[in-house]
Amino acid sequence: MTRTHALFRSILYVPGANARALEKSDGLAADGIVYDLKDAVAPEAKGAAREKLREHLAVSRFAGQRIVRVNPIETGDGTEDLLMARGAGVDAVLLPKVEDTDTLKDAARALDEMDAPARLRLWAMIETPRGIARAEKLARKGVSGRLSSLVVGTNDIRLATGIRPDAARTELLPWLMQIVLAAKANGLFVLDGVYGDFRDVDGFERECAAGRRMGFDGKTLIHPAQIAPANAAFGPGEAEIRDAEAIVSAFARPENAAAGVIQIDGRMVERLHLTEARRVLAMREAIAARSSEPSSRDP
Ligand code: COA
Ligand code: MG
């Protein structure tokens, strides 16, 4: 498939050792799957899970982005995970608990040594106090050209800091915004943390909407039931698409060909809005292409 505009609305964790979940994951309409070899796999099961996942990825028909969450690279398991991910031709490797630049450099060097293609990207989990404090430094291009996304790990942040945020995550917001800013300052994508109570649809929708307002590109998920609401929340809404179309067609009129700024229905519209409108329409195209793929359907 051709991916002109990668989508990040819904990124589902699938436990690497769970055969049933792996099998089920192929047909899901998530924009991406993180095959988890870390938290979701017990220490003594790491090797077996890696082999299961290798077999699965060789035959998987999942059409979205494929990401493997590896164990820390400095452990033997981490290096084996990386080799497996490289061999499987996945889109990205997600590094846990990134808090210093050496972690990123070491992972990038290991991938280079494996002759991994440049399109194999690194995603970094920001889930410790030190990771949050250093997020901008970690996100800088010079650290690793392979880095393309920051992923928030809210459960670990809660554990490591003892923070007890309210349902709106009020107390977490400064830290979340710091991570969002670090990503935006460096042209990276940024994904919000998981919502654990997968039966609470209203609460999940509220948290998705808040995440979108904050500038997240999408949300990490733990359960298939969370895919459709995340896709809806992080995709462009109907009003947004209508606006984008109006802006593109207004600038396309001959009399506006040289205009830097125009008005539409009494609202100032600049060329920067045209850029954003084109992005919204490209995203709509990518979503249409994604949902017409044979293997993407809801469970
Ligand atoms: N990926 C793929 N399939 C999943 C899934 C996931 N993350 N979570 C649930 N499913 C499947 C189940 O296998 C089940 O399939 P089936 O009915 O065809 O057998 C179906 O969806 C319904 O699941 P449900 O019974 O509601 O939940 P569960 O008790 O099977 O699983 C969890 C609940 C939390 C254990 C499970 O969702 C999970 O493991 N999530 C990911 C956890 C994870 O990776 N954590 C680390 C990162 S934070
Ligand atoms: Mg974690």
Side-chain angles (χ1 to χ4, degrees), residues 95 98 100-108 122 124 138 143-144 147:
L95 302 172
V98 175
D100 55 69
T101 53
D102 282 349
T103 307
L104 291 169
K105 286 182 185 153
D106 291 348
L122 287 174
L138 296 168
V143 174
S144 165
L147 186 67

Side-chain angles (χ1 to χ4, degrees), residues 169-185:
R169 301 193 293 181
T170 308
E171 296 75 11
L172 255 179
L173 292 180
W175 296 345
L176 295 176
M177 292 311 293
Q178 189 165 326
I179 298 168
V180 170
L181 187 65
K184 305 285 168 177

Side-chain angles (χ1 to χ4, degrees), residues 38-39 69 97 125 127 156:
K38 194 183 163 273
D39 292 356
R69 180 158 76 164
K97 293 199 165 68
M125 290 213 69
E127 52 183 345
D156 277 277

Side-chain angles (χ1 to χ4, degrees), residues 226-299:
Q226 296 180 326
I227 296 170
N231 283 347
F234 289 95
E238 276 171 37
E240 214 175 329
I241 287 172
R242 268 200 310 278
D243 264 3
E245 285 172 337
I247 290 170
V248 168
S249 60
F251 272 108
R253 276 182 221 119
E255 66 269 28
N256 291 334
V261 54
I262 60 176
Q263 67 106 350
I264 299 177
D265 299 334
R267 197 160 48 92
M268 177 183 78
V269 178
E270 296 172 274
R271 292 259 160 201
L272 61 95
H273 297 111
L274 178 59
T275 305
E276 174 58 14
R278 288 196 177 120
R279 196 191 64 80
V280 167
L281 297 180
M283 192 171 175
R284 179 189 58 178
E285 295 303 307
I287 291 167
R290 180 81 182 84
S291 37
S292 68
E293 279 151 8
S295 68
S296 46
R297 57 190 190 290
D298 277 319

